[in-house]
Amino acid sequence: MPLADADHERVVAELGREPTQAEDHLFENLWSEHCAYRSSRMLLSAFESEGEQVEIGPGDDAAVVRILGTDTLLTFGIESHNHPSFVDPYDGAATGVGGIVRDTLSMGAFPIALADSLYFGGFDREHSRYLLDGVVEGIADYGNAIGVPTVAGSVAFHDGYEGNPLVNVACVGKTTQERLVTAEAQEAGNSLVLLGNATGRDGLGGASFASEDLGEDAETEDRPAVQVGDPYSEKLLIECNEALVDEGLLESARDLGAAGLGGASSELVAKGGFGADIDLATVHQREPNMNAMEILLAESQERMCYEVEPENVERVTEIADRFDLGCSDIGEVTEGNYVCRFEGETVVDTPAAFLADGAPLNDLGREPAPAPETDLPDYDLTAAFEAVVADPTAASKEWVYRQYDHEVGLRTATPPGDDAAILNLHETDAAIALSSGANPYWTACDPAAGARAVAIENATNLAAKGATPLAAVDCLNGGNPENPETYDGFAAAVDGLAAACADLETPVVGGNVSLYNDSESGPIAPTPTLAMLGTREPGTTPPATAVGTGDLVLVEPAASEAGSANGSADPDALGGSLLLSQFGGSDQFPGLPADPGALVTALVAVADLESTLATHDVSDGGLAVSLAELVTTTAGVDASVDSSAALFSEAPGRVVVETTDVEAVREAVGAAATVSTLGTATNNGELSLTVGEETLTAGVEHVDDLRSAWASTID
């Protein structure tokens, strides 16, 4: 993917000469969509990123937020590894985990939790199952080996991902003000140190590869652009980074990801307003005869670029040796240009700021897609219930998360499989909650309203476990932005997500953009993955399964409104539902909470009641799935709803509550929500549903068979 003619002319005008081969490739990668956000940067200003809890917002390797009232700082970041995971699902996903963990290390933090949101083509396709198997194995093998628990996430299947799966991984780290490091160079004259694995030729051109559509032959033709991970080196790097931070040896840090050494070192010095003088021949290498371009742009994994005071370089090298990691003093921070030399020749000489931030923005057209019409299918209630509960998107994800070590670190109080993960921070009197995901059916139906619903859904997940949202990071995935309809859907999703997070008073403190997620099967639906972090006091959280002794009520918004010009205010509208994906038809997206912030506060209050026995949010598959998931071998559900639309609608912001005191629930929510009776929890391990004039009964074994049927085709 050569440097575009207009970009080439811009570079020539700035440099006053033709770029060298190394410069040409460096600009090609750093000015790619993947690095420079040329089609999305103008949209990102819609997000509110400030708040009293925010220490460092967007622009660094990871954001930093404070748990208010404590000295504890949490780092929070998210990344995509989409194209690599199609070409090589195992290594593509594994190195995605490694990259976001190193972003955490760059801030002087220790990684304590991972969340992964995964999106694949239709599960009925063999290739989708192959990708799923490889991606999950890659995440499990890497995350388990480095000792960072994977505690939350989501998995969705949609035809739009057939030729372009999405792998979005978030990481939470823990640090203190004294240990905090940033990716901003501090002082000219300081040394630049490259630490970690040796540099090879893997991952060459990875940034530009991630900025173009996947071709028909991508699995073979683009294999060299995919990095190969080594989790055992990453584990050593984590421990080495801790030792370096403990001794205060780091002035700034940046991990080597997109565009390799050239990307990390130029961005680090540019952010501080400096330049650099680097001798590429000093870089420790694992392959012979590497040229300057290869050393600069290889995306070999498990490497960090550190700014170190000259007198501390020897000590940094000693610590690296202790962990059996390579360490090279490659140059220094300067007041001049970003300069790289190789074997006596200057191969790069350009202003650092121009290289890192000089890419022009794209001026793109927008064309809204037509609004969905209401065209509902006929269906049998029992058949619909079984199809939706068994749908791989809504079904149990135990097959996935049982492969992850979610207990390492001994912080996980509520493991995967619940609405949100809860981790106790033993060093302070606080617990955190984590939720992550998006819903392609929602955003395919209505990008703006669907994205708003994604934010409300993640906040509801936290609130159902008694946690108040603290901050969020997003991974904004879209198709080819040069297509006006595709770009309009992406932009509408960005606006919708930003608006909902603002309504929730939850700052979006960082994120990632991944475009050109197109393949032979067409563009993906706009997919605004949101990872949301919340806080609560340590203690017992209500489970997501019934206890069997209380009343069942539905807590839902007091008032609903249309989430977009094309949406409906009716919470029972079926647009974006799994019911329609199974039986065909179309509808507007359902109504959204008119005041989501007040609703979330009310839900937190309900979760904290002593009379609350269980809480479970309503999302994929609607009440049909939520009620089925309450059933266990010792607890059942006897409930009724007014209509099948009420059973299958996926309007967000609703929670099923099992309680011993319905009036206490009503008092807790006040005017922010309504509380309607669904029925009772029983002790017979059976789901008994009355829907209008129809009835449906399913035992726990049948429900479990439905929810696990998809996974049995993989094992």
Side-chain angles (χ1 to χ4, degrees):
M1 190 176 177
L3 194 62
D5 290 344
D7 291 345
H8 179 84
E9 293 172 5
R10 187 180 180 92
V11 170
V12 169
E14 175 69 25
L15 301 183
R17 56 174 171 79
E18 286 291 322
T20 66
Q21 181 190 41
E23 288 171 334
D24 190 70
H25 286 285
L26 193 55
F27 276 104
E28 172 201 335
N29 279 266
L30 284 174
W31 284 17
S32 67
E33 186 68 52
H34 184 73
C35 291
Y37 293 178
R38 301 175 63 160
S39 301
S40 61
R41 207 185 322 159
M42 68 291 286
L43 303 174
L44 303 182
S45 60
F47 289 103
E48 296 286 345
S49 59
E50 297 180 352
E52 63 175 329
Q53 70 272 50
V54 181
E55 297 285 330
I56 297 176
D60 225 305
D61 273 4
V64 181
V65 294
R66 180 180 298 276
I67 299 180
L68 296 177
T70 76
D71 294 329
T72 300
L73 301 183
L74 300 173
T75 61
F76 201 19
I78 191 168
E79 282 288 349
S80 63
H81 240 225
N82 302 335
H83 284 29
S85 297
F86 175 78
V87 174
D88 181 345
Y90 181 88
D91 282 314
T95 52
V97 173
I100 193 62
V101 167
R102 291 193 304 279
D103 284 342
T104 303
L105 304 185
S106 297
M107 310 305 295
F110 187 84
I112 62 171
L114 292 164
D116 56 78
S117 290
L118 313 176
Y119 309 85
F120 302 95
F123 186 73
D124 58 336
R125 295 180 172 90
E126 183 179 354
H127 193 248
S128 297
R129 297 195 294 273
Y130 156 75
L131 292 173
L132 168 70
D133 195 26
V135 164
V136 171
E137 185 180 6
I139 291 171
D141 284 358
Y142 203 101
N144 294 353
I146 64 175
V148 181
T150 301
V151 298
S154 61
V155 183
F157 299 90
H158 185 279
D159 287 344
Y161 303 115
E162 170 58 25
N164 200 131
L166 303 183
V167 175
N168 299 170
V169 183
C171 185
V172 180
K174 183 176 175 294
T175 188
T176 62
Q177 190 69 48
E178 295 73 25
R179 297 171 58 83
L180 188 60
V181 180
T182 72
E184 180 177 329
Q186 298 297 306
E187 187 175 345
N190 282 342
S191 296
L192 293 174
V193 174
L194 180 64
L195 191 151
N197 270 349
T199 299
R201 291 186 171 93
D202 53 318
L204 276 170
S208 58
F209 156 64
S211 303
E212 58 186 352
D213 295 343
L214 284 170
E216 187 175 0
D217 300 322
E219 288 176 289
T220 54
E221 295 296 321
D222 293 321
R223 182 62 187 84
V226 179
Q227 310 92 334
V228 178
D230 177 3
Y232 301 103
S233 292
E234 182 97 349
K235 176 61 174 175
L236 293 172
L237 191 58
I238 292 171
E239 300 302 330
C240 180
N241 193 79
E242 280 289 285
L244 296 172
V245 173
D246 282 343
E247 295 193 22
L249 297 172
L250 305 181
E251 304 305 310
S252 65
R254 194 141 203 150
D255 94 290
L256 272 69
L261 174 61
S265 58
S266 64
E267 290 171 348
L268 184 142
V269 297
K271 190 172 175 62
F274 297 105
D277 192 336
I278 295 173
D279 183 355
L280 297 175
T282 62
V283 171
H284 52 289
Q285 303 162 40
R286 69 167 184 266
E287 297 187 37
N289 303 316
M290 292 185 70
N291 61 38
M293 184 272 291
E294 292 170 332
I295 296 170
L296 265 175
L297 291 174
E299 296 182 8
S300 304
Q301 296 293 283
E302 294 85 40
R303 299 182 299 162
M304 300 288 291
C305 181
Y306 294 129
E307 178 192 4
V308 178
E309 292 181 348
E311 60 269 26
N312 290 331
V313 171
E314 183 177 354
R315 179 57 181 157
V316 170
T317 303
E318 290 173 357
I319 293 174
D321 288 343
R322 190 205 318 167
F323 290 97
D324 200 23
L325 294 169
C327 185
S328 301
D329 183 353
I330 62 172
E332 66 176 359
V333 180
T334 69
E335 295 284 2
N337 277 356
Y338 177 77
V339 177
C340 296
R341 310 176 195 279
F342 185 65
E343 296 180 345
E345 179 185 356
T346 299
V347 294
V348 176
D349 188 351
T350 177
F354 180 67
L355 178 60
D357 302 313
L361 300 182
N362 294 330
D363 184 12
L364 300 169
R366 295 177 60 171
E367 183 179 321
E373 298 179 354
T374 298
D375 180 18
L376 301 179
D378 294 324
Y379 52 86
D380 173 77
L381 176 64
T382 299
F385 171 83
E386 292 183 343
V388 168
V389 172
D391 188 295
T393 293
S396 168
K397 301 305 184 298
E398 184 179 0
W399 180 87
V400 175
Y401 62 73
R402 77 182 185 197
Q403 300 183 53
Y404 304 151
D405 185 345
H406 55 263
E407 295 181 343
V408 62
L410 302 178
R411 295 183 179 90
T412 308
T414 301
D418 211 307
D419 294 339
I422 305 293
L423 289 86
N424 289 327
L425 303 182
H426 304 302
E427 306 85 349
T428 185
D429 188 25
I432 59 173
L434 182 62
S435 173
S436 175
N439 188 314
Y441 295 97
W442 295 358
T443 45
C445 172
D446 188 327
R452 289 175 65 98
V454 165
I456 295 167
E457 159 67 7
N458 277 284
T460 303
N461 283 336
L462 301 184
K465 303 297 113 176
T468 300
L470 178 71
V473 292
D474 57 40
C475 196
L476 305 172
N477 306 274
N480 188 328
E482 298 163 43
N483 180 305
E485 188 172 307
T486 299
Y487 186 62
D488 184 81
F490 174 78
V494 171
D495 289 343
L497 191 72
C501 289
D503 289 343
L504 291 163
E505 298 183 348
T506 303
V508 179
V509 293
N512 170 257
V513 179
S514 174
L515 297 178
Y516 291 94
N517 290 293
D518 280 59
S519 66
E520 295 296 311
S521 60
I524 66 166
T527 310
T529 298
L530 192 71
M532 190 174 285
L533 190 61
T535 58
R536 57 159 292 147
E537 293 182 358
T540 303
T541 58
T545 53
V547 173
T549 58
D551 294 314
L552 294 175
V553 297
L554 180 66
V555 180
E556 55 189 336
S560 296
E561 62 183 14
S564 75
N566 295 334
S568 170
D570 181 4
D572 289 342
L574 291 169
S577 66
L578 291 179
L579 178 76
L580 295 190
S581 78
Q582 288 282 347
F583 291 90
S586 60
D587 199 4
Q588 293 175 298
F589 195 77
L592 303 178
D595 189 346
L599 174 67
V600 166
T601 300
L603 293 174
V604 171
V606 171
D608 286 342
L609 292 173
E610 289 187 11
S611 55
T612 295
L613 303 179
T615 53
H616 190 23
D617 87 303
V618 181
S619 56
D620 299 333
L623 270 170
V625 170
S626 296
L627 293 173
E629 290 175 336
L630 287 172
V631 178
T632 70
T633 55
T634 58
V637 167
D638 186 355
S640 62
V641 296
D642 292 337
S643 66
S644 60
L647 184 65
F648 294 112
S649 169
E650 298 182 13
R654 299 179 294 160
V655 173
V656 177
V657 178
E658 182 184 0
T659 178
T660 59
D661 189 342
V662 175
E663 285 308 309
V665 176
R666 291 196 168 97
E667 290 177 11
V669 302
T674 61
V675 179
S676 55
T677 299
L678 288 172
T680 59
T682 66
N683 60 7
N684 62 5
E686 182 178 270
L687 173 64
S688 178
L689 271 177
T690 301
V691 184
E693 301 297 321
E694 299 182 81
T695 59
L696 180 155
T697 302
V700 63
E701 291 185 1
H702 183 51
V703 170
D704 287 348
D705 286 345
L706 291 173
R707 298 187 64 233
S708 61
W710 73 281
S712 65
T713 65
I714 305 175
D715 288 339

